[in-house]
Amino acid sequence: MDCYYLIANNYAHLGLLQDATKYAELYVEKAPDGEFAEEAIGLLNVLDFDEEEEEDEWALEEEDDVLIYQETAFYHLERQEWQEAIALLEEMITLFPEFTQARHEYHYALFFAGEREEAIALEEKYLKEHPDSLFSYMNLAVFYYHENEVKMLKHIISLLDHTFPIHEQQKLRMATTFAQIGLYGKALDRFKQLNKGKLRGHPSYYRWYSTCYYF
């Protein structure tokens, strides 16, 4: 049962508030006297949108705006339309500085748009400030592979090998990362664990999954 609370906590940190609420409520329902009962109730209080309506309405509107930007940027990234993605992601970083995924997607698009040195420098700087950033490790794995930085790539692979994300989008990113750096066996194992029903509209899923089978 503890996993319900831990998943809720992870979703909250990812900014996926509805998922966080769902799993926190499941924990309280199934383990009302559990080890994390107090923490789960506290998390639900933080996620409760009814206490301060005006502030919460603003928060919900901002979340909607983030989703619109995120989906549009995602559309361009999936189709490798780097310049279009960069323009949107630059706006996102300015408007929503707390939405850290936009920074990682910006670095990724920048790299494949030809600004490789800048992309690597920005991602390495972010990782230095946030040493537990999974997106930084995945991005740098791809960057170092293309730049033939074998020693640094080997270190990151050893870390990613033992990392298994919870959220489906991060699972997909991990699988495509292994595929992009030529580790098709590792990538195939990760692809087989994905929920195909949740990945419709993701060209990268089909592109890299089929690539793994080819090799």
Side-chain angles (χ1 to χ4, degrees):
M1 294 306 163
D2 292 350
C3 290
Y4 286 124
Y5 168 71
L6 298 172
I7 290 171
N9 194 47
N10 285 339
Y11 275 136
H13 281 289
L14 287 169
L16 301 166
L17 307 186
Q18 289 183 338
D19 288 324
T21 301
K22 171 187 168 184
Y23 281 98
E25 287 175 346
L26 270 172
Y27 179 82
V28 172
E29 176 190 335
K30 293 179 179 293
D33 299 316
E35 182 182 351
F36 297 107
E38 187 176 335
E39 289 89 343
I41 291 167
L43 181 58
L44 284 170
N45 287 335
V46 171
L47 297 170
D48 185 3
F49 290 114
D50 296 325
E51 292 181 2
E52 298 179 17
E53 291 185 7
E54 289 184 9
E55 182 179 338
D56 293 337
E57 283 175 13
W58 177 85
L60 285 169
E61 286 176 10
E62 185 182 67
E63 190 174 346
D64 286 341
D65 289 342
V66 169
L67 286 171
I68 292 167
Y69 269 96
Q70 187 180 7
E71 287 298 317
T72 311
F74 166 80
Y75 176 89
H76 292 303
L77 288 165
E78 284 287 295
R79 285 153 184 80
Q80 300 181 356
E81 297 167 356
W82 308 122
Q83 295 301 336
E84 292 87 345
I86 286 169
L88 277 168
L89 292 164
E90 284 176 338
E91 283 187 44
M92 281 191 77
I93 292 166
T94 301
L95 294 171
F96 314 108
E98 299 302 315
F99 188 71
T100 57
Q101 186 179 338
R103 296 180 185 276
H104 301 299
E105 300 292 15
Y106 174 70
H107 303 159
Y108 186 88
L110 206 62
F111 184 87
F112 287 103
E115 302 295 333
R116 293 191 171 192
E117 287 186 16
E118 184 181 356
I120 292 171
L122 287 169
E123 198 66 80
E124 287 178 338
K125 181 176 183 290
Y126 188 92
L127 183 61
K128 189 175 181 180
E129 295 167 356
H130 306 85
D132 59 347
S133 171
L134 178 58
F135 269 102
S136 288
Y137 284 116
M138 290 190 289
N139 269 358
L140 288 171
V142 174
F143 298 169
Y144 291 154
Y145 173 79
H146 284 283
E147 293 295 291
N148 201 29
E149 297 285 355
V150 178
K151 186 177 180 181
M152 289 188 285
L153 176 60
K154 188 176 180 180
H155 170 66
I156 289 180
I157 290 171
S158 70
L159 297 173
L160 295 181
D161 248 347
H162 300 92
T163 305
F164 295 86
I166 294 173
H167 194 256
E168 212 67 24
Q169 304 297 328
Q170 288 187 329
K171 288 181 182 179
L172 174 61
R173 187 60 167 264
M174 183 72 80
T176 59
T177 296
F178 279 126
Q180 283 178 279
I181 62 178
L183 298 177
Y184 302 114
K186 293 180 188 294
L188 196 59
D189 289 340
R190 300 299 182 108
F191 274 116
K192 287 178 178 178
Q193 296 171 31
L194 293 171
N195 183 339
K196 183 180 178 181
K198 293 183 178 180
L199 296 169
R200 289 172 183 165
H202 290 66
S204 59
Y205 170 78
Y206 300 99
R207 181 186 304 124
W208 292 109
Y209 199 177
S210 59
T211 299
C212 290
Y213 268 117
Y214 176 82
F215 282 101

PDB file of all heavy atoms in Angstrom, residues 149-170:
ATOM      1  N   GLU A 149      31.844  11.182 -26.930  1.00  0.00           N
ATOM      2  CA  GLU A 149      32.447  11.325 -25.591  1.00  0.00           C
ATOM      3  C   GLU A 149      32.242  10.009 -24.839  1.00  0.00           C
ATOM      4  O   GLU A 149      31.353   9.869 -23.992  1.00  0.00           O
ATOM      5  CB  GLU A 149      31.802  12.495 -24.843  1.00  0.00           C
ATOM      6  CG  GLU A 149      32.017  13.856 -25.477  1.00  0.00           C
ATOM      7  CD  GLU A 149      33.436  14.382 -25.243  1.00  0.00           C
ATOM      8  OE1 GLU A 149      34.210  13.723 -24.521  1.00  0.00           O
ATOM      9  OE2 GLU A 149      33.757  15.446 -25.796  1.00  0.00           O
ATOM     10  N   VAL A 150      33.066   9.028 -25.160  1.00  0.00           N
ATOM     11  CA  VAL A 150      32.844   7.649 -24.723  1.00  0.00           C
ATOM     12  C   VAL A 150      32.875   7.498 -23.201  1.00  0.00           C
ATOM     13  O   VAL A 150      32.001   6.846 -22.613  1.00  0.00           O
ATOM     14  CB  VAL A 150      33.887   6.705 -25.363  1.00  0.00           C
ATOM     15  CG1 VAL A 150      33.687   5.272 -24.868  1.00  0.00           C
ATOM     16  CG2 VAL A 150      33.792   6.778 -26.880  1.00  0.00           C
ATOM     17  N   LYS A 151      33.857   8.088 -22.546  1.00  0.00           N
ATOM     18  CA  LYS A 151      34.016   7.931 -21.099  1.00  0.00           C
ATOM     19  C   LYS A 151      32.814   8.483 -20.340  1.00  0.00           C
ATOM     20  O   LYS A 151      32.274   7.826 -19.435  1.00  0.00           O
ATOM     21  CB  LYS A 151      35.299   8.621 -20.634  1.00  0.00           C
ATOM     22  CG  LYS A 151      35.623   8.382 -19.171  1.00  0.00           C
ATOM     23  CD  LYS A 151      36.954   9.031 -18.795  1.00  0.00           C
ATOM     24  CE  LYS A 151      37.271   8.791 -17.324  1.00  0.00           C
ATOM     25  NZ  LYS A 151      38.565   9.433 -16.947  1.00  0.00           N
ATOM     26  N   MET A 152      32.389   9.692 -20.693  1.00  0.00           N
ATOM     27  CA  MET A 152      31.258  10.304 -20.003  1.00  0.00           C
ATOM     28  C   MET A 152      29.962   9.570 -20.313  1.00  0.00           C
ATOM     29  O   MET A 152      29.090   9.423 -19.454  1.00  0.00           O
ATOM     30  CB  MET A 152      31.168  11.784 -20.379  1.00  0.00           C
ATOM     31  CG  MET A 152      32.299  12.612 -19.776  1.00  0.00           C
ATOM     32  SD  MET A 152      32.116  14.391 -20.011  1.00  0.00           S
ATOM     33  CE  MET A 152      32.554  14.559 -21.730  1.00  0.00           C
ATOM     34  N   LEU A 153      29.839   9.090 -21.549  1.00  0.00           N
ATOM     35  CA  LEU A 153      28.649   8.330 -21.929  1.00  0.00           C
ATOM     36  C   LEU A 153      28.547   7.040 -21.118  1.00  0.00           C
ATOM     37  O   LEU A 153      27.462   6.680 -20.639  1.00  0.00           O
ATOM     38  CB  LEU A 153      28.688   8.011 -23.423  1.00  0.00           C
ATOM     39  CG  LEU A 153      27.557   7.128 -23.949  1.00  0.00           C
ATOM     40  CD1 LEU A 153      26.202   7.781 -23.729  1.00  0.00           C
ATOM     41  CD2 LEU A 153      27.759   6.820 -25.436  1.00  0.00           C
ATOM     42  N   LYS A 154      29.662   6.367 -20.950  1.00  0.00           N
ATOM     43  CA  LYS A 154      29.676   5.099 -20.208  1.00  0.00           C
ATOM     44  C   LYS A 154      29.200   5.314 -18.771  1.00  0.00           C
ATOM     45  O   LYS A 154      28.441   4.501 -18.225  1.00  0.00           O
ATOM     46  CB  LYS A 154      31.097   4.521 -20.212  1.00  0.00           C
ATOM     47  CG  LYS A 154      31.180   3.122 -19.641  1.00  0.00           C
ATOM     48  CD  LYS A 154      32.601   2.564 -19.771  1.00  0.00           C
ATOM     49  CE  LYS A 154      32.680   1.160 -19.185  1.00  0.00           C
ATOM     50  NZ  LYS A 154      34.055   0.600 -19.291  1.00  0.00           N
ATOM     51  N   HIS A 155      29.623   6.408 -18.154  1.00  0.00           N
ATOM     52  CA  HIS A 155      29.208   6.711 -16.776  1.00  0.00           C
ATOM     53  C   HIS A 155      27.695   6.914 -16.698  1.00  0.00           C
ATOM     54  O   HIS A 155      27.032   6.373 -15.792  1.00  0.00           O
ATOM     55  CB  HIS A 155      29.933   7.969 -16.283  1.00  0.00           C
ATOM     56  CG  HIS A 155      29.407   8.492 -14.988  1.00  0.00           C
ATOM     57  ND1 HIS A 155      29.524   7.803 -13.801  1.00  0.00           N
ATOM     58  CD2 HIS A 155      28.730   9.648 -14.701  1.00  0.00           C
ATOM     59  CE1 HIS A 155      28.949   8.498 -12.829  1.00  0.00           C
ATOM     60  NE2 HIS A 155      28.466   9.617 -13.354  1.00  0.00           N
ATOM     61  N   ILE A 156      27.130   7.653 -17.648  1.00  0.00           N
ATOM     62  CA  ILE A 156      25.695   7.921 -17.621  1.00  0.00           C
ATOM     63  C   ILE A 156      24.893   6.650 -17.885  1.00  0.00           C
ATOM     64  O   ILE A 156      23.871   6.407 -17.242  1.00  0.00           O
ATOM     65  CB  ILE A 156      25.335   9.016 -18.646  1.00  0.00           C
ATOM     66  CG1 ILE A 156      25.874  10.366 -18.166  1.00  0.00           C
ATOM     67  CG2 ILE A 156      23.822   9.111 -18.836  1.00  0.00           C
ATOM     68  CD1 ILE A 156      25.592  11.519 -19.080  1.00  0.00           C
ATOM     69  N   ILE A 157      25.374   5.800 -18.799  1.00  0.00           N
ATOM     70  CA  ILE A 157      24.672   4.543 -19.082  1.00  0.00           C
ATOM     71  C   ILE A 157      24.570   3.692 -17.820  1.00  0.00           C
ATOM     72  O   ILE A 157      23.537   3.079 -17.546  1.00  0.00           O
ATOM     73  CB  ILE A 157      25.378   3.766 -20.211  1.00  0.00           C
ATOM     74  CG1 ILE A 157      25.196   4.495 -21.548  1.00  0.00           C
ATOM     75  CG2 ILE A 157      24.826   2.339 -20.315  1.00  0.00           C
ATOM     76  CD1 ILE A 157      26.042   3.930 -22.675  1.00  0.00           C
ATOM     77  N   SER A 158      25.652   3.669 -17.032  1.00  0.00           N
ATOM     78  CA  SER A 158      25.637   2.875 -15.796  1.00  0.00           C
ATOM     79  C   SER A 158      24.573   3.373 -14.826  1.00  0.00           C
ATOM     80  O   SER A 158      23.997   2.591 -14.056  1.00  0.00           O
ATOM     81  CB  SER A 158      27.020   2.900 -15.131  1.00  0.00           C
ATOM     82  OG  SER A 158      27.303   4.186 -14.609  1.00  0.00           O
ATOM     83  N   LEU A 159      24.282   4.677 -14.857  1.00  0.00           N
ATOM     84  CA  LEU A 159      23.240   5.241 -13.998  1.00  0.00           C
ATOM     85  C   LEU A 159      21.846   4.943 -14.553  1.00  0.00           C
ATOM     86  O   LEU A 159      20.939   4.538 -13.813  1.00  0.00           O
ATOM     87  CB  LEU A 159      23.426   6.754 -13.864  1.00  0.00           C
ATOM     88  CG  LEU A 159      24.715   7.237 -13.186  1.00  0.00           C
ATOM     89  CD1 LEU A 159      24.827   8.758 -13.292  1.00  0.00           C
ATOM     90  CD2 LEU A 159      24.736   6.814 -11.716  1.00  0.00           C
ATOM     91  N   LEU A 160      21.672   5.138 -15.845  1.00  0.00           N
ATOM     92  CA  LEU A 160      20.358   4.924 -16.456  1.00  0.00           C
ATOM     93  C   LEU A 160      19.939   3.458 -16.412  1.00  0.00           C
ATOM     94  O   LEU A 160      18.746   3.146 -16.328  1.00  0.00           O
ATOM     95  CB  LEU A 160      20.370   5.406 -17.916  1.00  0.00           C
ATOM     96  CG  LEU A 160      20.577   6.911 -18.139  1.00  0.00           C
ATOM     97  CD1 LEU A 160      20.530   7.231 -19.633  1.00  0.00           C
ATOM     98  CD2 LEU A 160      19.543   7.734 -17.390  1.00  0.00           C
ATOM     99  N   ASP A 161      20.911   2.568 -16.456  1.00  0.00           N
ATOM    100  CA  ASP A 161      20.640   1.134 -16.415  1.00  0.00           C
ATOM    101  C   ASP A 161      19.819   0.741 -15.191  1.00  0.00           C
ATOM    102  O   ASP A 161      19.045  -0.217 -15.232  1.00  0.00           O
ATOM    103  CB  ASP A 161      21.968   0.366 -16.378  1.00  0.00           C
ATOM    104  CG  ASP A 161      22.191  -0.417 -17.661  1.00  0.00           C
ATOM    105  OD1 ASP A 161      21.225  -0.552 -18.438  1.00  0.00           O
ATOM    106  OD2 ASP A 161      23.315  -0.884 -17.884  1.00  0.00           O
ATOM    107  N   HIS A 162      20.029   1.470 -14.088  1.00  0.00           N
ATOM    108  CA  HIS A 162      19.383   1.122 -12.819  1.00  0.00           C
ATOM    109  C   HIS A 162      18.250   2.084 -12.469  1.00  0.00           C
ATOM    110  O   HIS A 162      17.832   2.163 -11.316  1.00  0.00           O
ATOM    111  CB  HIS A 162      20.425   1.105 -11.698  1.00  0.00           C
ATOM    112  CG  HIS A 162      21.519   0.109 -11.918  1.00  0.00           C
ATOM    113  ND1 HIS A 162      22.703   0.424 -12.563  1.00  0.00           N
ATOM    114  CD2 HIS A 162      21.593  -1.215 -11.634  1.00  0.00           C
ATOM    115  CE1 HIS A 162      23.464  -0.644 -12.633  1.00  0.00           C
ATOM    116  NE2 HIS A 162      22.819  -1.661 -12.083  1.00  0.00           N
ATOM    117  N   THR A 163      17.769   2.813 -13.464  1.00  0.00           N
ATOM    118  CA  THR A 163      16.706   3.787 -13.229  1.00  0.00           C
ATOM    119  C   THR A 163      15.455   3.369 -13.991  1.00  0.00           C
ATOM    120  O   THR A 163      15.507   3.143 -15.194  1.00  0.00           O
ATOM    121  CB  THR A 163      17.144   5.192 -13.701  1.00  0.00           C
ATOM    122  OG1 THR A 163      18.381   5.529 -13.050  1.00  0.00           O
ATOM    123  CG2 THR A 163      16.098   6.232 -13.357  1.00  0.00           C
ATOM    124  N   PHE A 164      14.337   3.273 -13.265  1.00  0.00           N
ATOM    125  CA  PHE A 164      13.073   2.853 -13.867  1.00  0.00           C
ATOM    126  C   PHE A 164      11.979   3.851 -13.492  1.00  0.00           C
ATOM    127  O   PHE A 164      11.405   3.773 -12.413  1.00  0.00           O
ATOM    128  CB  PHE A 164      12.699   1.445 -13.405  1.00  0.00           C
ATOM    129  CG  PHE A 164      13.671   0.398 -13.887  1.00  0.00           C
ATOM    130  CD1 PHE A 164      14.828   0.115 -13.165  1.00  0.00           C
ATOM    131  CD2 PHE A 164      13.443  -0.287 -15.074  1.00  0.00           C
ATOM    132  CE1 PHE A 164      15.739  -0.828 -13.612  1.00  0.00           C
ATOM    133  CE2 PHE A 164      14.351  -1.236 -15.531  1.00  0.00           C
ATOM    134  CZ  PHE A 164      15.502  -1.502 -14.798  1.00  0.00           C
ATOM    135  N   PRO A 165      11.703   4.819 -14.380  1.00  0.00           N
ATOM    136  CA  PRO A 165      10.708   5.854 -14.078  1.00  0.00           C
ATOM    137  C   PRO A 165       9.304   5.269 -13.895  1.00  0.00           C
ATOM    138  O   PRO A 165       9.019   4.157 -14.354  1.00  0.00           O
ATOM    139  CB  PRO A 165      10.751   6.764 -15.303  1.00  0.00           C
ATOM    140  CG  PRO A 165      12.026   6.431 -16.007  1.00  0.00           C
ATOM    141  CD  PRO A 165      12.298   4.999 -15.704  1.00  0.00           C
ATOM    142  N   ILE A 166       8.432   6.051 -13.254  1.00  0.00           N
ATOM    143  CA  ILE A 166       7.049   5.639 -13.027  1.00  0.00           C
ATOM    144  C   ILE A 166       6.142   6.142 -14.137  1.00  0.00           C
ATOM    145  O   ILE A 166       5.305   5.413 -14.647  1.00  0.00           O
ATOM    146  CB  ILE A 166       6.550   6.168 -11.664  1.00  0.00           C
ATOM    147  CG1 ILE A 166       7.319   5.500 -10.519  1.00  0.00           C
ATOM    148  CG2 ILE A 166       5.055   5.953 -11.505  1.00  0.00           C
ATOM    149  CD1 ILE A 166       7.020   6.074  -9.161  1.00  0.00           C
ATOM    150  N   HIS A 167       6.318   7.413 -14.525  1.00  0.00           N
ATOM    151  CA  HIS A 167       5.407   8.030 -15.484  1.00  0.00           C
ATOM    152  C   HIS A 167       5.673   7.533 -16.899  1.00  0.00           C
ATOM    153  O   HIS A 167       6.820   7.354 -17.302  1.00  0.00           O
ATOM    154  CB  HIS A 167       5.555   9.556 -15.429  1.00  0.00           C
ATOM    155  CG  HIS A 167       4.450  10.277 -16.105  1.00  0.00           C
ATOM    156  ND1 HIS A 167       4.598  10.853 -17.348  1.00  0.00           N
ATOM    157  CD2 HIS A 167       3.163  10.501 -15.741  1.00  0.00           C
ATOM    158  CE1 HIS A 167       3.456  11.410 -17.709  1.00  0.00           C
ATOM    159  NE2 HIS A 167       2.565  11.209 -16.761  1.00  0.00           N
ATOM    160  N   GLU A 168       4.592   7.315 -17.652  1.00  0.00           N
ATOM    161  CA  GLU A 168       4.716   6.697 -18.979  1.00  0.00           C
ATOM    162  C   GLU A 168       5.567   7.529 -19.933  1.00  0.00           C
ATOM    163  O   GLU A 168       6.328   6.985 -20.737  1.00  0.00           O
ATOM    164  CB  GLU A 168       3.312   6.496 -19.568  1.00  0.00           C
ATOM    165  CG  GLU A 168       3.197   5.275 -20.456  1.00  0.00           C
ATOM    166  CD  GLU A 168       3.349   3.953 -19.721  1.00  0.00           C
ATOM    167  OE1 GLU A 168       3.106   3.902 -18.502  1.00  0.00           O
ATOM    168  OE2 GLU A 168       3.726   2.966 -20.374  1.00  0.00           O
ATOM    169  N   GLN A 169       5.450   8.862 -19.868  1.00  0.00           N
ATOM    170  CA  GLN A 169       6.241   9.711 -20.763  1.00  0.00           C
ATOM    171  C   GLN A 169       7.735   9.573 -20.485  1.00  0.00           C
ATOM    172  O   GLN A 169       8.561   9.569 -21.401  1.00  0.00           O
ATOM    173  CB  GLN A 169       5.828  11.185 -20.613  1.00  0.00           C
ATOM    174  CG  GLN A 169       4.350  11.448 -20.856  1.00  0.00           C
ATOM    175  CD  GLN A 169       3.931  11.113 -22.271  1.00  0.00           C
ATOM    176  OE1 GLN A 169       4.714  11.244 -23.193  1.00  0.00           O
ATOM    177  NE2 GLN A 169       2.703  10.671 -22.452  1.00  0.00           N
ATOM    178  N   GLN A 170       8.085   9.477 -19.200  1.00  0.00           N
ATOM    179  CA  GLN A 170       9.502   9.308 -18.844  1.00  0.00           C
ATOM    180  C   GLN A 170      10.001   7.914 -19.224  1.00  0.00           C
ATOM    181  O   GLN A 170      11.148   7.749 -19.626  1.00  0.00           O
ATOM    182  CB  GLN A 170       9.702   9.558 -17.350  1.00  0.00           C
ATOM    183  CG  GLN A 170       9.566  11.015 -16.958  1.00  0.00           C
ATOM    184  CD  GLN A 170       9.943  11.241 -15.511  1.00  0.00           C
ATOM    185  OE1 GLN A 170       9.775  10.373 -14.655  1.00  0.00           O
ATOM    186  NE2 GLN A 170      10.455  12.422 -15.220  1.00  0.00           N
TER     187      GLN A 170
END
